[in-house]
Amino acid sequence: MSSLRPRVVLVSRETEYASLLAAHGTHGQAAFFLERRGQDIAAVVDRDQVQATALGHAKTAVPADWSFAHVLRKDLNRFLFSANDIVVAVGQDGLVANLAKYLDGQPVIGVSPDPNRTEGVLTRATTGLLPALLQAVAAKEATVENRVMVQAALGDGQTILALNELFIGHRSHQSARYIIKTGKAEEFQSSSGLIVATGTGLTGWAKSIMTATGRSFAIAPDAPRAAFFAREPWPSQISGTEIAAGEIDPTHPVRILSQINEGGVIFADGIEQDFLGFDWGMEAYVNIAPQHLHLVAG
């Protein structure tokens, strides 16, 4: 943080109710749309109001002499963060993961609008704690966790970062063909794609994979290690399953050579619209990222 007064950047995502209004025009039309599908709009409106209340409290927590900005998740790729920002993410844990790759050391306070509806892994603070947390961050007195991220780099210089996990495979999640190289081992595989998960990500998508396969890894969120998993690797005369899972660290990266004719992608943290193309002949170098998420302990 510099000697300038901080700017608080409030990050949220569009609610289900806002999306319904955008699609159907009015509350009545949105209610009719849901009723035709056996759903009640009241619960959707309730969640919208809960978030609106939390956003209102978050805005009032910002000191009057500080700068302030509000950006939606869908606009993060067009927003310019500055070194003096304090980022406040109001929403579920996934929102923090979604914004992490756009940051470069700025502290993040994850705020849950409703602790009863979120796991609270990354959004552990409440709006009531926010005024004190903002002051503590500005004074450099807050406890900050440095959470490890992973990175995929292509030969043409393109890179993509992830806080939870990277997906490497076909955009439709159909069978993807590739050669995986780790250490001196190399194998041609045909699978539903690869997942590379950090210690933070092992509580998410990767957790279901570990449960289903019995391949388990214990990695702390600040440990410079990650785990990779091949999803349903297919054993055949030409494709193997020996390198179905393993670990990555700074001295043991993984290389993936695509043999996907078209539709190959690499995306991060579940955002399929923001991806790198990964078609035949392209090689991805996957390792621990130089950046970390600086998460303020709530």
Side-chain angles (χ1 to χ4, degrees):
M1 305 292 292
S2 73
S3 59
L4 298 174
R5 295 192 185 279
R7 178 178 70 165
V8 174
V9 179
L10 184 64
V11 180
S12 64
R13 63 176 297 176
E14 190 176 56
T15 65
E16 299 161 305
Y17 183 59
S19 297
L20 284 167
L21 288 182
H24 301 283
T26 67
H27 174 89
Q29 289 293 332
F32 177 72
F33 172 80
L34 291 182
E35 287 169 4
R36 291 280 300 271
R37 288 157 178 78
Q39 300 177 55
D40 186 356
I41 200 171
V44 178
V45 172
D46 178 64
R47 290 193 291 271
D48 178 84
Q49 292 175 343
V50 168
Q51 176 158 307
T53 299
L55 290 173
H57 289 323
K59 291 175 182 178
T60 59
V62 180
D65 57 343
W66 290 14
S67 300
F68 172 80
H70 184 190
V71 58
L72 292 175
R73 188 188 73 168
K74 65 180 182 179
D75 299 322
L76 283 170
N77 62 341
R78 298 190 295 273
F79 186 80
L80 183 62
F81 288 95
S82 68
N84 209 51
D85 289 340
I86 300 174
V87 182
V88 177
V90 179
Q92 296 185 333
D93 291 329
L95 180 63
V96 177
N98 296 157
L99 71 89
K101 65 182 178 181
Y102 299 105
L103 303 178
D104 187 18
Q106 293 89 346
V108 178
I109 303 173
V111 176
S112 173
D114 185 353
N116 294 322
R117 291 176 175 165
T118 183
E119 292 296 320
V121 176
L122 302 174
T123 53
R124 291 173 290 189
T126 63
T127 54
L129 291 174
L130 195 51
L133 285 173
L134 288 172
Q135 294 293 345
V137 173
K140 299 182 180 179
E141 296 173 351
T143 301
V144 177
E145 301 173 359
N146 292 319
R147 291 193 170 234
V148 166
M149 302 177 70
V150 288
Q151 175 180 274
L154 301 182
D156 61 4
Q158 295 186 84
T159 61
I160 190 166
L161 295 166
L163 174 67
N164 281 336
E165 71 277 312
L166 292 167
F167 171 82
I168 305 169
H170 195 277
R171 64 188 173 207
S172 68
H173 297 260
Q174 68 185 43
S175 181
R177 295 187 172 198
Y178 53 86
I179 297 172
I180 181 169
K181 305 174 184 178
T182 174
K184 295 182 179 180
E186 178 177 319
E187 185 173 67
F188 173 76
Q189 291 184 347
S190 177
S191 76
S192 299
L194 288 161
I195 299 294
V196 181
T198 64
T200 299
L202 290 179
T203 64
W205 190 356
K207 185 176 181 179
S208 65
I209 297 174
M210 291 190 294
T211 300
T213 63
R215 296 185 175 95
S216 184
F217 297 87
I219 301 175
D222 61 349
R225 294 155 49 214
F228 68 86
F229 306 88
R231 300 170 64 217
E232 303 102 22
W234 178 254
S236 72
Q237 291 184 3
I238 61 172
S239 59
T241 62
E242 292 298 316
I243 312 177
E247 284 201 19
I248 295 171
D249 64 43
T251 60
H252 297 89
V254 166
R255 293 181 181 271
I256 315 295
L257 179 63
S258 175
Q259 292 193 1
I260 305 170
N261 286 330
E262 60 178 353
V265 296
I266 304 175
F267 64 79
D269 297 325
I271 305 299
E272 299 188 21
Q273 298 84 358
D274 185 6
F275 65 89
L276 300 182
F278 191 56
D279 290 335
W280 187 285
M282 303 186 76
E283 186 172 44
Y285 178 87
V286 184
N287 206 343
I288 305 304
Q291 298 96 321
H292 291 75
L293 171 69
H294 297 271
L295 182 68
V296 177

